[in-house]
Amino acid sequence: MSFTDILLFILLIQVIHFFGTWKLYQSAGRKWWEAAIPIYNAIILFKIINRPWWWVFLIFVPIVNLIMFPVIWVETARSFGKNDTKDTILQLISLGLYTYYINYFTTHEYIEDRSLKAKTKSGDFVSSILFAVVAATIVHTYIMQPFTIPTSSLEKTLLVGDFLFVSKFHYGARLPQTAISFPMVHDTIPLAGIKSYTNTPQLPYLRLPGFQKVQRNDIVVFNWPIDTVRMFRDRSGKHYDKPVDKKSNYVKRAVGVAGDSLKIVDGKIYVNNSPLQLPDRAKPQYSYLVQGKGQGFNMRSLVEIYGITDGLQWVNRERNLYQVNAITEENLAKFKNHPNVKSVQRIISPEGEADTGIFPNNGKVNWNRDNFGPIYIPKAGQTVQLGLETYSLYRRIIEVYEGSEMGFDNKLKVKGSQVYLNSEPINQYTFKQDYYWMMGDNRHNSEDSRYWGYVPQNHVVGKPVFIWMSLDSNASGLIEKVRWERLFTTVGGEGKPTSYLVYFLIGVVLIIGYNYFIKKKK
């Protein structure tokens, strides 16, 4: 849906509203023409139904307006004496068109001092729930969103079982592009297991101003760029593309930002030809081949003493060879002194050994997870040469991220040695938005940009800022304990994370005590 489509849709709504309410405006002591002026008519309507004028902002907030419109329809009917359950049901099932019947075929008498309190307990309960959902949806969409860490790709910075608050305002809240969606859920309605949204209409991409841009080494929540529906297949196994804001949420570290050049050499990341300097809380992990002495390992001690949470597995029982799937260099130094460890060797995919699953997935580069690149990370407004060597690197950007997802029909083709965009020969391309390179700290157990490429700016969701809960589970998925030391710790910052749980509990006690004494005094 383009901006022109949106304007035409708003104009249509205004026409429907005018012809369905102009007599009601007159009965309420207003002028008939006041029903015809966009925005102004909404302010007047809220005065008529005895609701605050600032509700006008809520009807322009995607998703929230899906809740607000039914409320306005019902409130309008009740302001003119239509209080029966039958009237409420007719308003809802007719999508507000029951107002036409009230406007033209009833003797409507305006109730100026109508009580806003529901006449039944059930009505009061429904009203409370509706406005709680509106408030929560606004917070969830534009301010702060809860998020759970499902995988170990960012261990030991973020652990499996961490529950985060993700800030939407750091990078600027992204307005929903999917106009019709179930509030406060992502792509699936809980328990029901069905889609929570409709693919159309789709609104243009817009983002509110933020306090900062994505910076190198930031941990970022984003929509997985290549995601398609895998849970909602029909019987033929067909996939359905998801809208951008309904793609699966991923969390990784931005090891490269727009304008950077990046390469990986023997597992080490280089940005602009210099080794990437990670913050001290980042603990990269790698896989190692372990030569044992035949004494075996205690799995609990591997976790508690050496931090080996991704497990250890046999490579060759006869030769006492094991593989440690992920361990930090700090823990590795301790692990080398284990009585069953004879030697350890980092597992590295050698340079020149091609991995067909590695981006750009064209079978023409000899890159792998440990030796990759160099590549350029596109920056908005920057121009690159587009030829046979760079075609695969930027094809998805041009056709999808700056094509179909932006409302353009971009098609790239190669004929001989010439690249064509929409049948026109091109030798260079200028990018429309910034891009990022996202990777996990668990280098050998992370599905990240090495496998599917760049993350566009319009896929960025927010910045994790706070861990409010952390649950440790066993291999069977059963919760064993609460990691109390991680509760109410910040995600960013320097040094060892500090828990603010005690200060939070003190604050809660003070608030409860203050409210108690204030009520008692009254």
Side-chain angles (χ1 to χ4, degrees):
M1 181 179 282
S2 65
F3 283 106
T4 302
D5 294 331
I6 293 173
L7 290 176
L8 290 174
F9 178 74
I10 292 174
L11 179 61
L12 175 63
I13 294 296
Q14 295 299 319
V15 171
I16 293 173
H17 173 77
F18 170 73
F19 283 106
T21 60
W22 65 273
K23 285 189 174 184
L24 300 182
Y25 275 69
Q26 285 183 319
S27 296
R30 308 300 305 193
K31 303 296 184 182
W32 65 266
W33 53 263
E34 291 181 299
I37 303 176
I39 300 179
Y40 175 74
N41 57 10
I43 295 173
I44 298 302
L45 179 62
F46 292 141
K47 288 183 179 181
I48 291 173
I49 66 176
N50 201 19
R51 291 295 185 176
W53 66 270
W54 51 263
W55 271 25
V56 69
F57 294 111
L58 299 181
I59 64 177
F60 289 100
V61 178
I63 309 303
V64 173
N65 53 20
L66 298 179
I67 305 170
M68 294 303 302
F69 278 119
V71 172
I72 294 169
W73 300 335
V74 172
E75 291 287 306
T76 300
R78 290 177 178 176
S79 295
F80 292 91
K82 302 300 180 182
N83 295 300
D84 294 342
T85 301
K86 176 195 69 175
D87 298 311
T88 300
I89 293 174
L90 287 172
Q91 273 286 48
L92 295 175
I93 65 175
S94 68
L95 301 181
L97 295 179
Y98 182 62
T99 306
Y100 273 74
Y101 170 77
I102 301 172
N103 189 60
Y104 290 107
F105 301 105
T106 66
T107 306
H108 36 77
E109 184 177 348
Y110 175 56
I111 305 173
E112 185 173 1
D113 298 321
R114 179 177 65 93
S115 173
L116 298 181
K117 187 175 181 180
K119 294 185 178 181
T120 63
K121 289 185 177 180
S122 59
D124 185 57
F125 174 76
V126 171
S127 296
S128 299
I129 290 296
L130 281 174
F131 287 104
V133 170
V134 168
T137 301
I138 292 173
V139 172
H140 183 275
T141 306
Y142 299 98
I143 302 174
M144 199 76 69
Q145 176 184 343
F147 184 83
T148 307
I149 298 297
T151 69
S152 62
S153 68
L154 277 171
E155 298 246 358
K156 302 299 180 180
T157 304
L158 296 176
L159 309 182
V160 176
D162 280 350
F163 292 79
L164 311 175
F165 280 135
V166 176
S167 165
K168 298 293 188 70
F169 53 82
H170 272 77
Y171 304 136
R174 183 182 59 185
L175 275 64
Q177 292 173 258
T178 304
I180 301 176
S181 175
F182 200 83
M184 290 189 302
V185 299
H186 191 51
D187 61 344
T188 310
I189 297 177
L191 301 180
I194 59 176
K195 285 172 59 176
S196 63
Y197 61 93
T198 61
N199 286 66
T200 56
Q202 286 290 307
L203 303 177
Y205 166 69
L206 290 172
R207 187 181 291 274
L208 299 177
F211 293 106
Q212 65 179 70
K213 291 186 176 182
V214 175
Q215 300 173 3
R216 195 178 301 118
N217 286 324
D218 277 359
I219 295 177
V220 181
V221 173
F222 57 93
N223 297 118
W224 187 30
I226 65 168
D227 192 18
T228 55
V229 177
R230 293 179 292 178
M231 298 302 292
F232 311 123
R233 299 177 181 176
D234 61 18
R235 293 182 180 179
S236 67
K238 183 179 179 179
H239 285 200
Y240 297 89
D241 289 335
K242 291 183 180 179
V244 171
D245 57 341
K246 292 301 177 182
K247 293 181 178 181
S248 299
N249 286 328
Y250 266 37
V251 57
K252 305 290 179 186
R253 188 183 300 279
V255 296
V257 297
D260 284 344
S261 62
L262 180 143
K263 63 181 178 181
I264 304 173
V265 179
D266 292 336
K268 297 293 185 180
I269 300 173
Y270 290 79
V271 178
N272 302 325
N273 293 319
S274 297
L276 176 67
Q277 300 298 316
L278 291 167
D280 59 359
R281 288 193 187 182
K283 307 294 182 184
Q285 297 188 99
Y286 296 90
S287 301
Y288 290 84
L289 194 65
V290 179
Q291 176 65 64
K293 298 179 181 180
Q295 300 174 21
F297 294 98
N298 180 284
M299 300 309 295
R300 180 172 290 274
S301 68
L302 290 181
V303 175
E304 295 179 352
I305 299 176
Y306 306 105
I308 302 176
T309 51
D310 276 12
L312 177 144
Q313 63 192 50
W314 282 105
V315 175
N316 188 313
R317 288 179 180 269
E318 295 181 356
R319 297 172 54 197
N320 286 318
L321 280 178
Y322 303 84
Q323 177 176 315
V324 173
N325 293 320
I327 188 172
T328 65
E329 292 184 357
E330 180 182 358
N331 285 326
L332 180 66
K334 294 188 294 183
F335 184 63
K336 287 179 178 179
N337 297 320
H338 190 284
N340 189 40
V341 173
K342 183 177 181 180
S343 64
V344 294
Q345 179 182 354
R346 180 180 290 183
I347 299 174
I348 293 291
S349 299
E351 183 180 2
E353 182 179 280
D355 183 343
T356 56
I358 290 294
F359 179 81
N361 316 106
N362 61 357
K364 296 180 180 180
V365 295
N366 57 354
W367 299 345
N368 54 59
R369 65 182 183 179
D370 295 314
N371 286 279
F372 180 94
I375 59 167
Y376 170 73
I377 303 173
K379 182 179 178 64
Q382 293 296 308
T383 300
V384 295
Q385 296 300 309
L386 195 61
L388 296 182
E389 293 183 356
T390 57
Y391 171 80
S392 296
L393 291 174
Y394 305 126
R395 179 177 182 177
R396 184 170 178 85
I397 286 179
I398 297 170
E399 289 191 333
V400 180
Y401 307 147
E402 301 193 354
S404 58
E405 290 181 352
M406 288 290 199
F408 300 101
D409 188 23
N410 284 346
K411 295 296 181 183
L412 278 181
K413 288 186 178 180
V414 174
K415 295 180 182 179
S417 60
Q418 179 64 55
V419 178
Y420 291 82
L421 175 59
N422 302 328
S423 301
E424 296 293 331
I426 60 169
N427 298 311
Q428 58 185 22
Y429 181 81
T430 302
F431 298 103
K432 296 181 176 65
Q433 61 177 323
D434 288 342
Y435 292 83
Y436 307 98
W437 197 259
M438 305 289 187
M439 287 178 57
D441 292 346
N442 195 342
R443 297 286 194 254
H444 290 164
N445 189 16
S446 174
E447 186 177 352
D448 52 36
S449 285
R450 290 172 294 177
Y451 299 91
W452 35 258
Y454 305 103
V455 175
Q457 171 69 25
N458 68 339
H459 284 56
V460 171
V461 174
K463 181 176 183 176
V465 293
F466 207 66
I467 300 172
W468 63 273
M469 176 58 72
S470 185
L471 302 176
D472 193 5
S473 303
N474 58 27
S476 302
L478 298 175
I479 298 173
E480 289 189 333
K481 64 178 180 179
V482 176
R483 303 185 188 105
W484 295 102
E485 74 281 358
R486 293 185 65 81
L487 266 59
F488 289 82
T489 59
T490 57
V491 174
E494 300 294 331
K496 186 177 180 180
T498 301
S499 174
Y500 294 93
L501 177 60
V502 173
Y503 302 99
F504 172 78
L505 295 175
I506 291 173
V508 170
V509 170
L510 290 175
I511 291 172
I512 293 174
Y514 175 79
N515 289 334
Y516 172 78
F517 286 111
I518 289 295
K519 289 181 179 179
K520 188 174 182 181
K521 185 176 180 181
K522 288 182 177 179

